[in-house]
Amino acid sequence: MSESAAPAFPPSTPIPSGKLGMWVFLSSEIMLFGAFISAYIVLRMGSPDFGVPSEEILGRPLATMNTFLLILSSFTMVLALAAIQRDDRRSFARNMISTLGLGVLFLCVKMFEYHHKISEGLTISSGLFGSFYFTLTGLHALHIIGGLVFNGYILRNGLRGRYNAQHHERVEYAGLYWHFVDLVWVILFPMFYLV
């Protein structure tokens, strides 16, 4: 069905159903990550044997670089949406490809980090810190992969001319999701690497 086709039923709210659905989905994701983060904070503050590893094992410089990569990818996502809103498909494609590339680079750095930490003895079963670290960053990495698939779908459709200045809603939804994933990392980064 064409994305520009009129809805079969009149909307019950002034908010487009796609955007409402994305916000409901993101709300459930906030509850999921919020539960894990709350448990981490409570246990870290209340447990004398939490076992935070040394800075050498944590690898703060790589995590800082990854934070920069994700923030930059949010910026290119904003540029992609702005480009399709003015019917500039070349700029849209360039910025979507940049967003995808930065997301893939983030995952590559994360895999390198995982290898380093595991070789140093920090695993999901080595203690409370390791359990929370691998669970939360792993869950976040799965969301990054989901975002890459979604953004790849948006890029393919954009290259086929399915979005333009009047109909770009799905690009906006993909942007909402990607910004959420970036925001989660901006919370996880200081939680695991700075505090």
Short mmCIF file of all heavy atoms in Angstrom, two decimals, residues 36 49-50 54 83 97 104 106 109 126 135 157 165:
data_model
loop_
_atom_site.label_atom_id
_atom_site.label_comp_id
_atom_site.label_asym_id
_atom_site.label_seq_id
_atom_site.Cartn_x
_atom_site.Cartn_y
_atom_site.Cartn_z
N PHE A 36 16.18 -1.89 34.65
CA PHE A 36 17.56 -2.38 34.80
C PHE A 36 18.46 -1.32 35.45
O PHE A 36 19.27 -1.64 36.33
CB PHE A 36 18.14 -2.75 33.42
CG PHE A 36 17.77 -4.14 32.97
CD1 PHE A 36 16.96 -4.33 31.87
CD2 PHE A 36 18.26 -5.25 33.65
CE1 PHE A 36 16.63 -5.61 31.45
CE2 PHE A 36 17.93 -6.53 33.23
CZ PHE A 36 17.11 -6.71 32.13
N ASP A 49 30.36 -5.23 47.93
CA ASP A 49 31.18 -6.11 47.07
C ASP A 49 30.71 -6.05 45.61
O ASP A 49 30.62 -7.08 44.93
CB ASP A 49 31.08 -7.56 47.58
CG ASP A 49 31.57 -7.67 49.01
OD1 ASP A 49 32.58 -7.02 49.33
OD2 ASP A 49 30.93 -8.39 49.79
N PHE A 50 30.43 -4.84 45.13
CA PHE A 50 29.92 -4.73 43.77
C PHE A 50 30.98 -5.07 42.73
O PHE A 50 30.67 -5.57 41.65
CB PHE A 50 29.39 -3.31 43.54
CG PHE A 50 28.44 -3.22 42.39
CD1 PHE A 50 27.12 -3.63 42.52
CD2 PHE A 50 28.87 -2.76 41.16
CE1 PHE A 50 26.25 -3.57 41.46
CE2 PHE A 50 27.99 -2.68 40.09
CZ PHE A 50 26.68 -3.10 40.24
N SER A 54 39.02 -2.04 37.25
CA SER A 54 39.93 -0.90 37.12
C SER A 54 39.68 -0.15 35.81
O SER A 54 39.04 -0.67 34.89
CB SER A 54 41.38 -1.39 37.17
OG SER A 54 41.63 -2.19 36.02
N ALA A 83 16.91 16.92 4.97
CA ALA A 83 17.12 16.82 3.53
C ALA A 83 15.88 16.31 2.81
O ALA A 83 15.48 16.86 1.78
CB ALA A 83 18.31 15.90 3.25
N ILE A 97 23.38 7.04 4.94
CA ILE A 97 24.53 6.13 4.85
C ILE A 97 25.54 6.45 5.96
O ILE A 97 26.11 5.55 6.58
CB ILE A 97 25.17 6.22 3.45
CG1 ILE A 97 24.22 5.61 2.41
CG2 ILE A 97 26.52 5.52 3.42
CD1 ILE A 97 24.63 5.85 0.97
N VAL A 104 27.40 1.08 12.59
CA VAL A 104 28.20 -0.14 12.41
C VAL A 104 29.55 0.02 13.11
O VAL A 104 30.04 -0.90 13.78
CB VAL A 104 28.39 -0.44 10.91
CG1 VAL A 104 29.43 -1.55 10.71
CG2 VAL A 104 27.06 -0.85 10.28
N PHE A 106 30.17 1.86 15.71
CA PHE A 106 29.91 1.74 17.15
C PHE A 106 29.92 0.27 17.57
O PHE A 106 30.54 -0.10 18.57
CB PHE A 106 28.56 2.37 17.49
CG PHE A 106 28.14 2.17 18.92
CD1 PHE A 106 28.49 3.10 19.90
CD2 PHE A 106 27.41 1.05 19.30
CE1 PHE A 106 28.11 2.90 21.23
CE2 PHE A 106 27.02 0.86 20.63
CZ PHE A 106 27.38 1.79 21.59
N VAL A 109 33.48 -1.24 17.56
CA VAL A 109 34.24 -0.83 18.75
C VAL A 109 33.74 -1.59 19.97
O VAL A 109 34.51 -2.04 20.81
CB VAL A 109 34.13 0.70 18.95
CG1 VAL A 109 34.76 1.12 20.28
CG2 VAL A 109 34.80 1.44 17.80
N SER A 126 31.13 -12.85 36.19
CA SER A 126 32.27 -12.61 37.09
C SER A 126 31.88 -11.76 38.31
O SER A 126 32.70 -11.57 39.20
CB SER A 126 33.39 -11.91 36.32
OG SER A 126 32.97 -10.65 35.83
N THR A 135 24.68 -7.25 30.35
CA THR A 135 23.24 -7.28 30.08
C THR A 135 22.76 -5.97 29.46
O THR A 135 22.09 -5.96 28.41
CB THR A 135 22.46 -7.55 31.38
OG1 THR A 135 22.86 -8.82 31.91
CG2 THR A 135 20.95 -7.58 31.11
N ASN A 157 13.88 2.65 0.84
CA ASN A 157 12.64 3.28 0.38
C ASN A 157 12.88 4.70 -0.12
O ASN A 157 12.27 5.15 -1.09
CB ASN A 157 11.60 3.29 1.49
CG ASN A 157 10.96 1.94 1.69
OD1 ASN A 157 11.15 1.04 0.88
ND2 ASN A 157 10.21 1.79 2.76
N ALA A 165 8.98 15.79 0.34
CA ALA A 165 8.73 16.88 1.28
C ALA A 165 7.36 16.75 1.96
O ALA A 165 7.19 17.21 3.08
CB ALA A 165 8.83 18.22 0.55
#
